[in-house]
Each structure stands twice: as structure tokens, then as C-alpha cells.
């Protein structure tokens, strides 16, 4: 059982160590807004069973189908130290909407009677990693408290990404043989992935809180794993009565990935700790006992994350602590190559302080200023308590390598926002985990917050999506097309291959600092199309269509359509659009595509046509 600290002690610790700055309020460093419409069923309806889900949730995110949009997996169980199992969710990002595709893309399995994500499992953590080096991210879950269940239920589960066939993503398939049968049913709370032995294949580390020992599973080069036991890590390094989190990362800059883990209790050790097992660069995959740091964290750490907080290129530590959450700066290496850790530092608060006990923590840059901020979820997975709240801490930056003080901002003394503008304390109560990634591809990071009361999407307001305005259509709403032709609403004039007419649309963000703008043609002949930009508009008959962006023309590039579709940038024209178009922040520009239409006699003798026009404005 995890070591417990009384709420009174936690409060006293916070009074003693949580720095409070009482006069500076309303530092509006980043703003978030709730958007309840982002979670959808496969049929497009609001996914109320997800938005109202009360189970314990852990999340991982990444581009599973390689379409340029980050997807989300939510693994679930009955909250706290319980055996209750629940199905998981695969939420595919479809143009900024997180759509439940669990049944369609995550129900395949090699175990009769199993249904992949639809099977109830007692999962406590999840990671995306390419286990077989085929270029596609797979999904690995960490199961817990499932003694007496069949191996495919009680053990970690690997969902292999099946990739594309004929351009169609095939989804995920659970493959039972990829994880070995362990001596006892695991009670895993955390999983980390990384290549510890230098063979080019990712290995897995599981933090355990049931049988006193963590597990390092070695990849055999095919995406199947074996238990390394104590052949690579000593028993002291694996000793863990309440292992809660792990990371595989090079901590000391020697090029060899090390293992960082947190444990609320150790079976035979001194108590709560964050330990670091340093890899041997001369014998990769083996961790000398002489280099082991048994306690590099705070006083009573529970979860840990690793990342660079002061931009010196060295990974620092943040810990969720039973008393006051904390962080430590990496100040360099000692004579043995171990990290020399700076003093334990506690967060500063505009008002109030740490409410004690916490769970998952995360290092991520929320405001795109180049300095990593931190988040600490409040739910201690051992104890059912939904009374505390998520804390989000702002990194204000400073001198590179300095010991920067991170702080929870607030709107005012009473009420108002906490952490980030837009979120009230009530919006943060009882948080299991937070997924932080760009949902709408606008360049800033959004949040999916998994709480005791449901799952909530918060959209970062730092960058706003680009507005695409179509004009100069061939549908009869403006100047007529040549030959009296009329196309579909919003498209260009009809062509020999489409009575609707070629259509130009836009995606991504028109931002000079992070240009992700993509222009796409549909319903055009399979052949060359010239994408071009204009500084002004016109609307005159030209070939079989209309010249719309006819002032200040700049050629962007030629792309050959396939399947009646093409996109720019693409093919032999990869330059970002703002570079090819020589645009600046604040410019409004107009876009159109001229394309070859080689059927004689369709309309005029010109043998070419054009799409509709598209107008947008560029931001910094």
C-alpha cells in the first residue's frame, strides 16, 4: 500500500514551501476556451458517453494513420485501487473532430473472443511507439490488478498498427504473443518506451506497484518482447512496491538512454523516491549499480516527468508530490557521469497554494514561447478523491540555464481563472490526466482533460484557424462561365471531366512563423495544374473558365493531379506557400489553379480551365 501523508501535513508543507506571490494577478499568458462539440460518435453525433465518462482515464496521442492530424487513445478503469475493467477509446482526429473509431479500427485481435479496444481491461497507462520498425505507431497499454484473468486480459497489450493497404488505413490489431507470460499477473501503473540496448528497436519499461519489482522488456527486433529480469538492472533498481511512472531518456548527455521512475513506496528501500538507472554507453542496455541514483526527486514523489525547463539542453525533473509538487534542475554531471541535481524547488502561486496529493504530471510548452510549462493532475490513483484540482504552472523564461521559478497564475484573489485564462477552479476538479496536443492543426496546443466528471476539450486561443473564403464560382452566382455552362455551388466552371467544375479548397494555417497552409484541387482532370497567387481579383472569361486572381500574379508551382485530385505544396513543388508567394504577415492574397483540359470541342478551343478562387489573410 502506498505511503500516505495526512492532508494536514500536506497543507503545512505547502505553507512552508509553496512560494506565494500575493500582488500580481491577471497575467494573461495563454487563454483556453471549452468546446464541447469536438468529441463525436462514429455517426457524427455528440459522444455523450465519453464527455460524461466518470472512469479513471489515461491518455496518449500521435498520428496513427499518418494523415497529418494527431489522434487520441483513452484507456480506462474503475477509479483508484480497484479491479474494475472498462473498454478503451480510439479517437481519430478527422479535421479537428475527435471521432470514436474504436469498433471500426481497434477491434481486431488474434485471440478468439477478444474484441481489442472493446474488451474490458484494467488499464492504467498507455504509450504510442513503433515496436516493429515498420514506420507506423503502435499502441501499448499497461494493465493492473487483473490476477486470475487470462493472460490476454491480465498482461500488457500491444496493438499493432496495420498501416495502409491501397491508401486505406487498416487500423490496430491486438496481438497477444508480443508480451511474454510473466511469473505473476502484473500490477503496472506506468509504461515507457525507448531503445535501451542500441539495436534500433524500442524496448518497454513497466513500473509496478504490486509484486515489488518493475519489468524491463527487451524487443527481439520483430516487436516481440522478453523479460530481462535482473540481467540488465539490479534488484535494487527494479525494487518498487508502488511504481507509478517511468521515462526512458538520456539524462546525462552520453548518448545512452537511461531509466527514470517514480515509486510511492519501495519494497525494501528507504521510501518514496524518484530513481535513475544510468545506462552504460560502453555496454548499452546494462545499468551499473555504481551509477544508480536511488533518490533524485522531491520529498514524497508520486509521479514524474522529464524535460528541459531552462533551455540549457539538459533534461530536468518535475514531480507530483504528496506534499508540495516540485521540480529540480539538471546542473551537469559528476565524476561518474551522474546528474548533479539542483535543490528541490516548489512552485510559486499568485494566490493560494498546492492542495497536496497528485497524479500524472506533464512538461509541455502551452504558449509557444519556447519555454516548457508544467501540468500536475490531482487524482492520486491509489485513493478515490475527486476533491482536489489540476494545477497548471507557467514558465516565464529567463536566462538560459538559470533556476527559473515556475508559477500558477490567477485572475484575482476571489474566483476568476486559475492556471490559464478561461479555466476556473471548478473546471479542474478531480483530474486523472491531461492530453496536450494540437487538435485543430492551427499551431498551438489544445487540451483534453480527463476528470472524475467526464472528458472535456479545451482549445488554445493563441492562434485562430485560417478563414478560407471562396469567390468567383462558376455556379451562376457571379459572372457567367464561357459557353453558358453552370457548375456546382462554390466550384469553378464545368470541365470535360466534371459537370460540377474543379474546386479549390484550403486547409492548415496561413501563418508566416509556422506555415501549414495546403491548397487542394478536386474534380480536375489527371494532368498538370498551375497553382498561382494574386494580390488582387478579377473575373473575366479565360479559356473554359474564369480568371479570378488576375492581379499581381505569382506562380507557385505545377502539380500533376491523380485521381482527379492534387495538392500544393506537393510533388516537385514542396516550398511553403508563403515562401513561394513571397507573402508577409497582414497580406491578403487570392489563390486559383489553372489546369489542362485536353478534350477538344468541350467548350472553347483553348483546352484549359480554372477552379474557383480562394481568399485568405496571412498572420504573423
Amino acid at each position: 500500500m502506498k505511503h500516505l501523508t495526512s492532508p494536514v501535513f500536506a497543507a503545512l508543507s505547502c505553507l512552508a514551501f509553496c512560494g506565494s506571490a500575493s500582488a500580481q494577478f491577471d497575467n494573461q499568458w495563454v487563454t483556453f476556451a471549452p468546446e464541447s462539440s469536438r468529441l463525436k460518435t462514429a455517426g457524427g453525433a455528440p459522444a455523450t458517453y465519453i464527455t460524461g465518462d466518470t472512469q479513471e482515464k489515461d491518455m496518449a496521442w500521435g498520428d496513427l494513420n499518418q494523415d497529418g492530424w494527431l489522434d487520441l487513445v483513452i484507456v480506462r478503469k474503475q477509479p483508484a485501487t480497484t479491479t474494475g475493467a472498462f473498454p478503451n477509446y480510439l479517437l481519430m482526429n478527422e479535421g479537428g473532430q475527435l471521432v470514436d473509431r474504436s469498433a471500426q479500427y481497434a477491434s481486431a485481435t488474434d485471440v478468439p473472443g477478444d474484441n481489442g479496444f472493446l474488451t474490458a481491461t484494467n488499464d492504467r497507462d498507455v504509450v504510442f511507439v513503433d515496436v516493429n520498425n515498420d514506420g507506423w505507431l503502435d499502441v501499448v497499454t499497461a494493465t493492473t490488478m487483473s490476477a486470475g484473468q487470462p493472460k490476454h486480459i491480465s498482461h500488457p497489450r500491444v496493438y499493432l498498427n496495420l498501416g495502409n493497404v491501397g491508401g486505406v488505413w487498416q487500423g490496430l490489431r491486438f496481438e497477444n504473443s508480443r508480451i511474454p507470460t510473466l511469473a505473476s499477473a502484473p500490477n503496472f501503473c506506468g509504461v515507457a518506451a525507448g531503445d535501451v540496448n542500441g539495436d534500433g528497436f524500442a524496448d518497454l519499461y513497466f513500473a509496478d506497484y504490486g509484486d515489488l519489482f518493475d519489468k524491463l522488456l527487451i524487443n527481439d527486433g520483430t516487436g516481440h518482447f522478453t523479460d530481462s529480469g535482473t540481467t540488465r538492472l539490479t534488484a535494487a533498481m527494479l525494487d518498487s512496491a508502488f511504481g507509478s511512472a517511468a521515462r526512458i531518456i538520456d539524462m546525462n548527455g552520453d548518448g545512452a538512454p537511461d531509466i527514470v521512475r517514480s515509486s510511492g513506496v519501495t519494497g525494501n528501500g528507504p521510501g518514496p523516491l524518484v530513481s535513475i538507472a544510468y545506462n552504460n554507453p560502453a555496454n548499452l542496455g546494462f545499468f551499473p549499480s555504481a551509477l544508480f541514483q536511488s533518490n533524485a526527486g522531491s520529498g514524497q514523489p508520486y509521479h514524474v516527468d522529464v524535460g528541459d525547463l531552462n533551455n540549457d539542453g539538459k533534461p530536468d525533473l518535475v514531480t507530483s508530490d504528496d506534499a508540495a509538487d516540485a521540480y529540480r534542475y539538471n546542473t551537469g554531471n559528476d565524476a561518474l557521469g551522474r546528474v548533479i541535481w539542483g535543490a528541490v524547488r516548489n512552485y510559486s502561486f499568485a494566490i493560494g497554494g498546492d492542495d497536496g496529493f497528485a497524479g500524472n504530471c506533464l512538461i509541455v510548452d502551452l504558449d509557444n514561447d519556447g519555454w516548457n510549462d508544467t501540468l500536475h493532475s490531482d487524482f492520486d490513483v491509489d485513493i478515490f478523491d475527486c476533491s482536489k484540482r489540476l494545477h497548471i504552472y507557467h514558465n516565464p523564461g529567463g536566462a538560459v540555464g538559470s533556476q527559473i521559478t515556475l508559477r500558477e497564475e490567477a485572475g484575482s484573489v476571489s474566483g476568476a481563472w486559475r492556471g490559464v485564462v478561461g479555466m476556473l477552479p471548478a473546471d479542474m476538479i478531480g483530474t486523472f490526466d491531461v492530453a496536450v496536443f494540437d487538435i485543430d492543426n492551427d499551431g498551438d496546443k489544445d487540451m483534453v482533460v480527463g476528470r472524475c466528471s467526464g472528458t472535456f476539450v479545451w482549445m488554445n486561443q493563441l492562434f485562430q484557424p485560417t478563414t478560407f473564403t471562396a469567390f468567383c464560382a462558376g455556379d451562376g452566382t457571379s459572372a457567367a462561365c464561357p459557353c453558358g455552362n453552370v457548375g456546382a455551388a462554390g466550384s469553378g466552371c464545368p470541365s470535360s471531366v466534371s459537370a460540377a467544375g474543379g474546386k479549390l479548397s484550403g486547409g492548415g494555417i496561413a501563418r508566416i512563423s509556422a506555415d501549414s497552409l495546403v491548397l487542394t484541387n478536386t474534380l480536375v482532370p489527371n494532368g498538370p495544374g498551375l497553382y498561382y497567387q494574386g494580390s488582387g481579383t478579377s473575373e473575366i472569361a479565360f479559356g473554359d473558365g474564369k480568371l479570378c486572381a488576375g492581379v499581381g500574379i505569382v506562380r507557385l508551382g505545377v502539380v500533376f493531379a491523380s485521381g482527379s485530385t492534387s495538392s500544393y505544396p506537393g510533388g516537385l513543388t514542396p516550398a511553403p506557400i508563403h515562401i513561394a508567394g513571397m507573402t508577409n504577415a497582414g497580406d491578403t492574397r487570392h489563390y486559383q489553379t489553372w489546369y489542362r483540359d485536353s478534350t477538344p470541342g468541350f467548350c472553347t478551343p483553348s483546352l484549359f480551365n480554372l477552379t474557383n478562387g480562394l481568399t485568405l489573410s496571412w498572420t504573423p
Side-chain angles (χ1 to χ4, degrees):
M1 188 67 175
K2 178 176 174 288
H3 176 71
L4 303 181
T5 305
S6 74
V8 173
F9 181 81
L12 291 174
S13 297
C14 190
L15 289 174
F17 299 114
C18 300
S20 180
S22 61
Q24 183 180 348
F25 295 105
D26 209 28
N27 177 13
Q28 299 191 21
W29 65 289
V30 67
T31 300
F32 283 80
E35 288 196 13
S36 58
S37 63
R38 294 276 176 177
L39 296 170
K40 300 289 190 182
T41 68
T48 55
Y49 56 92
I50 298 177
T51 58
D53 177 35
T54 60
Q55 304 307 322
E56 183 180 317
K57 294 170 275 285
D58 276 80
M59 296 179 274
W61 52 96
D63 188 0
L64 291 172
N65 60 353
Q66 298 187 9
D67 66 348
W69 297 81
L70 298 180
D71 311 302
L72 178 68
V73 164
I74 303 178
V75 298
R76 306 186 305 143
K77 67 176 295 297
Q78 186 180 13
T81 305
T82 58
T83 58
F86 285 85
N88 299 327
Y89 297 130
L90 171 64
L91 302 179
M92 299 304 294
N93 192 333
E94 299 177 5
Q97 302 292 314
L98 299 175
V99 182
D100 182 9
R101 299 292 184 188
S102 307
Q104 181 178 357
Y105 290 126
S107 59
T109 179
D110 64 0
V111 176
D114 188 86
N115 293 295
F117 269 36
L118 305 184
T119 297
T121 50
N122 202 2
D123 292 320
R124 183 146 265 172
D125 199 11
V126 56
V127 66
F128 287 8
V129 57
D130 183 1
V131 300
N132 60 350
N133 283 15
D134 66 350
W136 296 86
L137 287 173
D138 309 301
V139 177
V140 179
T141 64
T143 50
T144 188
M145 302 188 71
S146 301
Q149 297 292 328
K151 185 249 181 178
H152 72 278
I153 299 293
S154 64
H155 281 50
R157 291 164 64 101
V158 175
Y159 296 87
L160 196 71
N161 194 325
L162 302 179
N164 279 347
V165 175
V168 179
W169 188 55
Q170 301 299 297
L172 306 172
R173 179 176 64 217
F174 167 53
E175 298 189 355
N176 189 36
S177 66
R178 293 188 177 272
I179 296 293
T181 300
L182 303 174
S184 60
N187 291 295
F188 293 147
C189 192
V191 56
D195 178 15
V196 300
N197 62 354
D199 66 352
F201 288 85
D203 309 299
L204 300 173
Y205 187 93
F206 290 92
D208 191 281
Y209 63 99
D211 68 358
L212 307 185
F213 290 102
D214 295 349
K215 301 292 183 186
L216 174 61
L217 304 187
I218 299 298
N219 194 325
D220 69 356
T222 69
H224 294 78
F225 297 87
T226 57
D227 182 5
S228 65
T230 56
T231 62
R232 295 174 179 270
L233 292 150
T234 68
M237 296 173 184
L238 296 167
D239 176 24
S240 174
F242 213 104
S244 49
R247 302 289 183 265
I248 297 177
I249 184 173
D250 180 8
M251 295 299 296
N252 56 0
D254 63 359
D258 309 305
I259 297 174
V260 182
R261 67 91 190 266
S262 60
S263 181
V265 180
T266 55
N268 302 300
L273 54 80
V274 170
S275 64
I276 304 174
Y278 289 94
N279 209 331
N280 183 357
N283 190 17
L284 280 174
F286 293 87
F287 300 80
S289 59
L291 301 184
F292 184 53
Q293 282 184 323
S294 62
N295 198 352
S298 51
Q300 299 185 77
Y302 193 33
H303 276 256
V304 65
D305 199 15
V306 181
D308 188 358
L309 296 176
N310 58 1
N311 285 1
D312 64 355
K314 296 189 288 288
D316 309 302
L317 288 175
V318 301
T319 57
S320 293
D321 197 287
D322 284 350
D325 296 337
Y327 51 101
R328 297 185 77 171
Y329 286 102
N330 181 336
T331 66
N333 298 339
D334 64 16
L336 295 178
R338 301 171 302 183
V339 172
I340 301 171
W341 292 103
V344 174
R345 299 178 64 89
N346 296 112
Y347 293 99
S348 174
F349 294 81
I351 185 66
D354 197 315
D355 45 6
F357 292 109
N360 294 329
C361 51
L362 180 65
I363 298 176
V364 63
D365 182 6
L366 290 175
D367 58 347
N368 284 32
D369 67 348
W371 297 88
N372 279 322
D373 313 295
T374 68
L375 301 89
H376 291 256
S377 300
D378 60 273
F379 191 92
D380 178 330
V381 296
D382 189 35
I383 306 167
F384 187 87
D385 180 6
C386 295
S387 65
K388 300 182 294 298
R389 68 172 175 86
L390 167 71
H391 289 275
I392 302 175
Y393 298 104
H394 175 211
N395 186 338
V400 171
S402 62
Q403 305 242 339
I404 299 166
T405 298
L406 279 66
R407 160 175 146 133
E408 184 183 69
E409 308 286 1
S412 67
V413 174
S414 60
W417 57 270
R418 292 290 186 270
V420 298
V421 181
M423 296 187 78
L424 303 177
D427 298 319
M428 308 163 106
I429 295 294
T431 299
F432 298 110
D433 197 13
V434 184
V436 183
F437 64 102
D438 189 356
I439 294 174
D440 56 355
N441 271 8
D442 66 349
D444 54 29
K445 296 180 180 66
D446 311 299
M447 293 191 289
V448 179
V449 183
R451 297 171 51 202
C452 297
S453 56
T455 308
F456 304 86
V457 175
W458 290 82
M459 302 301 293
N460 197 324
Q461 303 299 295
L462 186 62
F463 301 124
Q464 296 300 310
T466 295
T467 298
F468 299 96
T469 303
F471 71 100
C472 193
D475 57 7
T477 57
S478 57
C481 292
C483 309
N485 291 325
V486 178
S491 294
C493 296
S495 73
S496 65
V497 300
S498 173
K503 185 167 187 175
L504 179 67
S505 58
I509 305 298
R511 188 168 68 252
I512 299 299
S513 60
D515 180 1
S516 62
L517 179 64
V518 176
L519 300 174
T520 299
N521 287 322
T522 54
L523 301 177
V524 294
N526 291 334
L530 170 65
Y531 288 80
Y532 72 92
Q533 169 189 289
S535 58
T537 62
S538 60
E539 193 165 356
I540 59 174
F542 188 53
D544 291 351
K546 297 188 293 181
L547 183 66
C548 303
V551 179
I553 290 176
V554 176
R555 293 168 57 98
L556 300 177
V558 174
V559 181
F560 281 73
S562 175
S564 297
T565 301
S566 70
S567 292
Y568 181 89
L572 300 177
T573 56
I577 292 175
H578 80 282
I579 293 177
M582 298 175 288
T583 55
N584 298 305
D587 289 346
T588 295
R589 291 293 182 262
H590 316 278
Y591 298 89
Q592 194 175 19
T593 304
W594 172 99
Y595 60 86
R596 178 67 63 184
D597 189 4
S598 59
T599 301
F602 167 71
C603 181
T604 72
S606 302
L607 301 182
F608 66 84
N609 205 329
L610 300 97
T611 65
N612 59 288
L614 200 67
T615 297
L616 56 89
S617 295
W618 287 87
T619 59

